[in-house]
Amino acid sequence: MARSNPGLLLGLLLLRLTWCVAVDGGGVEEGGFVFPVVVSTWPFREAVRAAWDVVKTGGAGGSAVDAVVAGCSACEELRCDGTVGPGGSPDENGETTLDALIMNGKTMEIGAVAAMRYVKDAIMAAKLVMEHTGHTLLVGEKATSFAISMGLAGPTDLSSPESIEKWSNWRQNNCQPNFWKNVAPAGNCGPYHPINIPKDPVKSAVWEDQGITCQEWLQNDNLLEPTSSHFNSVNRHNHDTISMAVIDKQLAHQLMVLRSKFQEG
């Protein structure tokens, strides 16, 4: 496969961002592009507005990281789409636990929590992991203990009447749909046990999940149109909860300098 042109890729990225400026005016022009920029999946305007209010100042406390935390925290508080934050979608045991990940695009540092119980501020906890540990991901009780030790409120019940009702209805529907496969009982609630285990489970799983799809993509002239029905069924109710990207004015300047160097080279 031919190597990509970094200058072209960066130019395309900046070109796409010109029509993703969020919510208000007040951005500054940098090399023909308007910054800062806030981009979010799904029409969560309150979350985008919260991030924009932080990043548009460009001063102390107005970094892209701070803006992402503000935006995602707003979605956690509002329980966007009924899936984000405390009181959102429960697991199969009826408990709501939280996941979050944040990345600093300047330093490439990452922090994340997963299956965190009893602490409602998931994105704040992820930021604390990034800034105060050498870890990338803390999970479950370890994430909870860490978050509380760093000053976040807890322990608190993350369930809500809506999440409990959603779980009860799911149980009454024989725990369908769910994410189990190759298990019995297939159409009912667990406990489950595995069935039809292939001789080489790793190789078979990779071929089943990826091989045919990749072949179809290679045979398809338009790689932007997945041929698998699995991908065609993806929508806002079964995909990510919220993803947010922010470019602040400082990072924008660095990107433009880098772009100029690529163009000169």
Side-chain angles (χ1 to χ4, degrees):
M1 181 179 293
R3 296 181 61 185
S4 300
N5 183 318
L8 176 60
L9 292 178
L10 183 58
L12 289 174
L13 171 63
L14 293 176
L15 179 62
R16 285 181 61 87
L17 289 178
T18 57
W19 52 265
C20 292
V21 177
V23 186
D24 294 319
V28 297
E29 189 167 326
E30 179 78 43
F33 303 98
V34 180
F35 295 99
V37 172
V38 178
V39 185
S40 171
T41 52
W42 316 119
F44 299 145
R45 295 182 180 274
E46 294 85 354
V48 174
R49 184 174 287 109
W52 179 257
D53 288 342
V54 171
V55 77
K56 69 180 180 181
T57 62
S63 71
V65 169
D66 294 325
V68 166
V69 170
C72 291
S73 293
C75 234
E76 289 173 345
E77 183 176 349
L78 294 169
R79 203 187 302 163
C80 292
D81 265 3
T83 61
V84 183
S89 297
D91 60 23
E92 65 178 26
N93 296 318
E95 181 181 4
T96 296
T97 59
L98 302 181
D99 312 321
L101 180 148
I102 191 167
M103 179 176 186
N104 187 329
K106 298 175 185 176
T107 65
M108 307 306 288
E109 294 175 296
I110 300 173
V113 293
M116 185 173 69
R117 310 172 73 192
Y118 308 131
V119 175
K120 65 183 181 63
D121 301 305
I123 191 65
M124 291 184 183
K127 182 173 182 282
L128 290 169
V129 172
M130 179 178 70
E131 294 181 339
H132 298 288
T133 80
H135 299 296
T136 296
L137 172 66
L138 295 181
V139 179
E141 300 289 355
K142 295 298 184 182
T144 302
S145 299
F146 168 78
I148 293 175
S149 73
M150 296 301 289
L152 296 183
T156 185
D157 186 5
L158 301 182
S159 297
S160 66
E162 293 81 7
S163 70
I164 295 173
E165 181 183 8
K166 185 181 295 185
W167 179 74
S168 297
N169 292 338
W170 177 76
R171 292 282 300 182
Q172 292 174 12
N173 194 44
N174 296 320
C175 302
Q176 303 299 316
N178 62 48
F179 292 97
W180 291 92
K181 69 177 184 178
N182 299 324
V183 296
N188 214 322
C189 298
Y192 302 99
H193 62 270
I195 58 174
N196 299 329
I197 300 178
K199 295 181 180 180
D200 187 343
V202 174
K203 182 177 180 180
S204 298
V206 170
W207 177 253
E208 177 184 351
D209 293 344
Q210 300 177 16
I212 296 178
T213 301
C214 289
Q215 281 187 335
E216 290 173 347
W217 281 351
L218 290 174
Q219 294 170 359
N220 188 359
D221 291 334
N222 188 355
L223 300 185
L224 298 179
E225 295 182 0
T227 56
S228 170
S229 60
H230 169 75
F231 294 102
N232 290 333
S233 66
V234 172
N235 58 62
R236 63 182 294 177
H237 299 295
N238 62 12
H239 197 238
D240 65 289
T241 49
I242 178 173
S243 299
M244 178 173 286
V246 177
I247 297 181
D248 57 30
K249 296 173 184 177
Q250 181 181 356
L251 180 58
H253 177 73
Q254 294 173 351
L255 286 172
M256 296 309 302
V257 170
L258 182 62
R259 180 171 177 264
S260 297
K261 290 181 179 180
F262 279 134
Q263 289 177 334
E264 292 172 359

